[in-house]
């Protein structure tokens, strides 16, 4: 399963937000997340399912 463009964009925004938190940047400079990050859970589970499928065939 290939992630959709919107899921990939949301993942990128979430990663950049995590980096801002890691470097203690003030919250006023954070990117706005316009979609619910819970959608990343579906993407993550799909990717894990694909990895498991590949591992079962090896």
């Amino acid at each position: 399963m290939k992630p959709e463009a919107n899921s990939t964009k949301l993942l990128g925004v979430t990663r950049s937000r995590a980096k801002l938190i890691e470097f203690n940047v003030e919250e006023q400079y954070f990117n706005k997340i316009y979609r619910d990050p819970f959608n990343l859970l579906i993407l993550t589970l799909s990717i894990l399912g694909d990895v498991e499928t590949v591992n079962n065939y090896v």
Side-chain angles (χ1 to χ4, degrees):
M1 174 178 205
K2 184 176 178 182
E4 296 179 12
N6 289 337
S7 296
T8 305
K9 183 176 180 179
L10 180 60
L11 180 61
V13 169
T14 306
R15 283 181 178 166
S16 67
R17 188 177 186 102
K19 281 292 183 188
L20 291 173
I21 292 170
E22 180 181 346
F23 293 128
N24 296 319
V25 175
E26 293 181 29
E27 194 166 338
Q28 68 184 18
Y29 299 111
F30 284 14
N31 322 20
K32 301 292 182 210
I33 298 178
Y34 296 105
R35 292 183 57 202
D36 184 12
F38 183 75
N39 292 332
L40 287 175
L41 179 63
I42 297 168
L43 174 64
T44 303
L45 292 176
S46 300
I47 291 171
L48 288 174
D50 289 346
V51 168
E52 183 63 26
T53 302
V54 169
N55 287 337
N56 284 335
Y57 289 116
V58 174

